[in-house]
Amino acid sequence: MTGANDSLKSHFDSTVDQMQAIIDQQKSTITDLSTQVAALQSENAGLLASNTALQDTLRHTDLVNHTVYYVVGTKDELLRQGVVQEVGGHRVLFVFGRAGTVLRPAPDLNVSAFTPIDDRQITSIALPDSLHTYRIASSQNLAFLADSTARDGEFRSGRLRITSPNDFWKPSRFLIIVKS
């Protein structure tokens, strides 16, 4: 019986040693996996921060790409603000100024003189006085205005309605409206 007991004790000790080796191996694996999880969590946090920064950049770029500008004023106001300049024409004897001049956007437009709008949201621009005649001095595509009388560049209305913003704003992001 003692021999059988010693044999069982030896077998038990061997099994305990094998189980302890398995436990030690699993502890090592758990430690390695914990280290990998911590590294992945850190990398994930970095990617989330990078993704947030990229989304902010994309939102800002999208806003900048869809921001257009308009200004409404009399010829004198727009000349004084440096928004337009008179080009062409010729001097007429005994007349001050030049005859036949045309208003064109100034080469270096001062953005602060304009009102910024989002071309995806604003398709109608309110004008100060519906009794005055207005003329568009910038190079927008007038075919995309709702009011057919504005196709020649002059119109009388309290609002300028745009039917296709992408096409209307394609030639220029700056709309200059001259009040007569």
Side-chain angles (χ1 to χ4, degrees):
M1 224 181 207
T2 303
N5 194 20
D6 287 342
S7 171
L8 283 175
K9 186 176 185 258
S10 170
H11 181 66
F12 178 75
D13 287 342
S14 171
T15 303
V16 167
D17 289 343
Q18 288 175 356
M19 291 298 156
Q20 188 61 48
I22 291 172
I23 290 171
D24 291 343
Q25 182 184 9
Q26 288 180 345
K27 282 182 181 179
S28 175
T29 302
I30 289 171
T31 301
D32 291 345
L33 290 174
S34 294
T35 302
Q36 288 178 3
V37 166
L40 289 172
Q41 286 174 333
S42 175
E43 185 178 339
N44 190 34
L47 289 172
L48 285 174
S50 175
N51 188 27
T52 301
L54 181 59
Q55 286 177 347
D56 289 345
T57 301
L58 286 174
R59 267 192 291 278
H60 176 72
T61 302
D62 191 45
L63 180 64
V64 167
N65 286 339
H66 287 284
T67 299
V68 292
Y69 305 88
Y70 77 94
V71 64
V72 180
T74 65
K75 174 183 170 181
D76 291 338
E77 291 169 343
L78 296 172
L79 283 168
R80 195 170 40 258
Q81 292 173 351
V83 173
V84 294
Q85 62 184 12
E86 291 182 302
V87 295
H90 56 282
R91 291 218 177 266
V92 177
L93 194 58
F94 303 117
V95 177
F96 294 105
R98 300 173 66 90
T101 59
V102 178
L103 285 182
R104 294 282 182 234
D108 295 319
L109 293 173
N110 181 3
V111 177
S112 66
F114 290 81
T115 302
I117 58 173
D118 186 331
D119 68 353
R120 296 167 297 184
Q121 297 174 357
I122 307 295
T123 57
S124 178
I125 298 172
L127 300 172
D129 188 354
S130 62
L131 299 177
H132 281 85
T133 301
Y134 296 93
R135 185 170 40 86
I136 296 178
S138 50
S139 59
Q140 269 62 38
N141 191 337
L142 304 182
F144 297 100
L145 291 176
D147 188 2
S148 61
T149 60
R151 299 277 159 69
D152 63 353
E154 288 192 11
F155 56 97
R156 181 180 290 206
S157 175
R159 293 200 157 279
L160 181 68
R161 289 180 181 81
I162 302 165
T163 59
S164 176
N166 286 338
D167 296 318
F168 178 77
W169 293 103
K170 191 180 287 183
S172 175
R173 295 175 56 179
F174 294 90
L175 172 63
I176 301 170
I177 303 172
V178 182
K179 180 180 174 184
S180 299

